[in-house]
Amino acid sequence: MFYVKTLEHEIELEPLHFGPKLKDTIVRLLKEEVEGLALANFGYVINVIEVPNEQMRSGIIEYDTGNVVFYVKYTALLLRPFINEVVDATVSQCNQLGFFAFVGPLRVFVSKHSMPEDMMNGFDPSLEVWVSDDQEVEIKRGCGVRLKIKGRTVEQGNITAIGTIKDNYLGLIDDGSGENADII
């Protein structure tokens, strides 16, 4: 899920940024450009941990614009969902087809067909909540669920996943009231 990796990025600077704080400006712009970005092969860049000075190469001048391009290597904390990985998520929306939950920036959809048998027909549209047949489990906005990632897609800087709670030890872990639920 989370891992640290060294990556490389290209920063283009206008001449007005040149001066004694050039390296600080490069680091600031690097963080602005890559933090929160979804890289197809690596996952979401959560945080730029380190930009070593020796990893900032000399810039290359673009003769058309006068701008300078710097190639910077940096160490970043990344979030990448793996298939069959079990994660804890917060439910953000419930509808008649299932529910959406977030694991940090990762949006996961759990279909009603990927829920336990006793919840498949338990959607209450007036309250927007999934309820089990015995009325003990309620999955609603703000509650915590433990789910397994079954698939993921990467498209235009965004990663989404499909999950399931239809397995042992998966499902509701926090009812959203601030106190842990006894349902595991």
Side-chain angles (χ1 to χ4, degrees):
M1 178 58 64
F2 292 100
Y3 66 103
V4 176
K5 184 159 181 68
T6 300
L7 301 169
E8 190 169 331
H9 188 71
E10 179 181 295
I11 301 282
E12 184 175 335
L13 287 179
E14 296 176 352
L16 67 99
H17 295 294
F18 302 160
K21 300 214 180 243
L22 178 64
K23 292 190 184 217
D24 294 336
T25 303
I26 291 172
V27 171
R28 181 179 51 79
L29 289 174
L30 173 72
K31 288 183 176 189
E32 287 175 7
E33 286 183 20
V34 301
E35 285 183 353
L37 190 66
L39 305 173
N41 298 329
F42 305 113
Y44 284 101
V45 178
I46 301 297
N47 189 9
V48 174
I49 298 172
E50 179 184 26
V51 184
N53 285 334
E54 62 273 2
Q55 296 295 337
M56 285 190 220
R57 295 192 234 147
S58 298
I60 299 170
I61 299 171
E62 290 185 341
Y63 294 106
D64 299 346
T65 62
N67 295 345
V68 176
V69 177
F70 291 91
Y71 294 96
V72 182
K73 281 190 176 179
Y74 62 97
T75 305
L77 176 65
L78 300 163
L79 166 76
R80 181 176 178 201
F82 292 101
I83 306 299
N84 292 323
E85 181 174 15
V86 175
V87 295
D88 292 347
T90 303
V91 175
S92 64
Q93 178 186 5
C94 292
N95 61 36
Q96 67 274 13
L97 300 175
F99 65 86
F100 289 94
F102 279 93
V103 181
L106 175 68
R107 188 174 184 189
V108 182
F109 176 70
V110 177
S111 166
K112 69 178 182 180
H113 301 291
S114 296
M115 293 184 198
E117 299 292 325
D118 68 335
M119 293 189 78
M120 284 186 88
N121 298 317
F123 182 67
D124 182 355
S126 62
L127 298 174
E128 291 187 350
V129 62
W130 281 93
V131 183
S132 64
D133 291 344
D134 61 6
Q135 305 289 316
E136 285 194 23
V137 178
E138 284 188 359
I139 295 179
K140 60 187 177 203
R141 184 174 190 201
C143 72
V145 292
R146 181 163 291 139
L147 56 90
K148 183 189 286 189
I149 306 263
K150 297 306 286 178
R152 68 171 187 263
T153 59
V154 179
E155 52 191 41
Q156 290 188 335
N158 191 20
I159 302 172
T160 55
I162 303 293
T164 182
I165 59 171
K166 192 178 189 176
D167 208 348
N168 292 335
Y169 307 107
L170 300 180
L172 185 68
I173 57 171
D174 178 14
D175 62 6
S177 66
E179 300 175 18
N180 285 338
D182 294 60
I183 308 166
I184 292 187

